[in-house]
Amino acid sequence: MINRRAATRALSAAAVTGTALLDAPEGWLQPASAEDKPRHRGRLGERDLNALEATARAFRTWDHQYGGGLRRKAILGQLSEVAAALEEHQRAPIERRLYGVMAQLAGSAASMAWDAGQQRRAQDYYRVALRAAHAAGDTHFGANVLAGTARQMLYVNHPQDALELVRLAQDGVRTSAGPRLRAMLHTREAWAYAAMGRHAAFHRATRHAEDALSSAAGVEEPYWIHYFDTAEFAGVTGGRLLDLARIDPHEHAAAASQEIRAALGQRGPEASRSHALDWIGLAECSFPLGDVTGAAETTHHAVNAAAHTQSGRVRQQLGQLYPSTVGRDVPGPLRAARDNIRDLLAT
């Protein structure tokens, strides 16, 4: 049983890594234990569950589009209500779906928390999401939660932990995952390899992701993985090539720019956070390529895109771009772009 305190607690210590992080997820494929304590009879019905599932879906869409911001407080309130409903004795099919709603809400809350830089709080919600997915019997969403935790580990520079989490997710759904889910997991694997400097493994995992995604047309998969399309694949691949370009710009900057441009050409307005991150990445690619005019233009686009999202990660990436625009011999258009970054980050 996941009670309201467990679902909404907020710790502020540093992010957990290594064995301590992996201990809890290791048992995620074991049968869920039954709850023996007496509970009041619940009265939720089909219509209630449909509304809750629609709400969880809306929150996930908002997170994907805008980032966390004020919506994180709203999702925590909804999460607490679902936890309260699970403290009552619901009919078995209703309870199973309730756990599914809790998993999706907690997963979105975790994504919003780490997007805002609240790493330990994000881990708490990822654990709730994993336990709830387990109770719901949804191994596919459980794998998605593990992939989210791996992404967090990559952002705090723990690629080995990330790789272990991705492998755990892959083991759980190896024979049942659809092509989009397989492709996403392969890109997280590739991300970890890139962060570890394992170039051959990065390219191999990226090819596996591309092969999986090529068979996605016409295959029915859960709504929460629909975002992973050719645009997302290109954006993620471009971002990882950009990571490699920070170490060896002559080898990887042009390829990163090509992939990110491909993503920008395909993304729609429903992915404004990713759209902003793409423009920031493309601007960063322009500097090692010596394209000062392109750097000024893409930086302007990056600032404009960033203004339409509340994502803390977008602002952090924009702040990391700022030093590239500073210098004694910076031309006028790039100085203007630098001023735009400063003005946006000051708001």
Side-chain angles (χ1 to χ4, degrees), residues 65-67 71 269 271-280 298-319 337 339-347:
Q65 185 169 359
Y66 300 113
R71 292 171 180 83
S272 60
R273 179 174 56 190
S274 297
H275 186 73
L277 290 170
D278 285 342
W279 276 115
I280 295 169
T298 51
T299 300
H300 276 297
H301 281 296
V303 173
N304 290 336
H308 289 89
T309 177
Q310 299 173 338
S311 169
R313 183 158 47 105
V314 167
R315 288 176 176 257
Q316 180 185 30
Q317 297 285 88
L318 202 58
D339 293 343
N340 288 342
I341 294 177
R342 187 172 58 241
D343 292 344
L344 180 63
L345 294 181
T347 59

Side-chain angles (χ1 to χ4, degrees), residues 241 245 248-261 285 288-289:
L241 288 167
D248 187 353
H250 297 293
E251 181 70 22
H252 301 290
S257 177
Q258 181 179 352
E259 291 290 346
I260 294 172
R261 287 186 184 277
C285 289
L289 293 173

Side-chain angles (χ1 to χ4, degrees), residues 62-103:
W62 289 341
D63 173 47
H64 184 54
Q65 185 169 359
Y66 300 113
L70 296 176
R71 292 171 180 83
R72 188 160 53 88
K73 294 182 179 180
I75 202 172
L76 296 184
Q78 189 68 68
L79 185 60
S80 181
E81 291 298 320
V82 171
L86 281 166
E87 289 177 351
E88 299 175 337
H89 182 72
Q90 310 289 347
R91 291 184 293 112
I94 295 294
E95 183 168 274
R96 192 180 185 91
R97 287 173 63 186
L98 266 177
Y99 274 117
V101 170
M102 172 175 272

Side-chain angles (χ1 to χ4, degrees), residues 36 45 94 199 233:
D36 295 327
I94 295 294
H199 295 191
F233 171 71

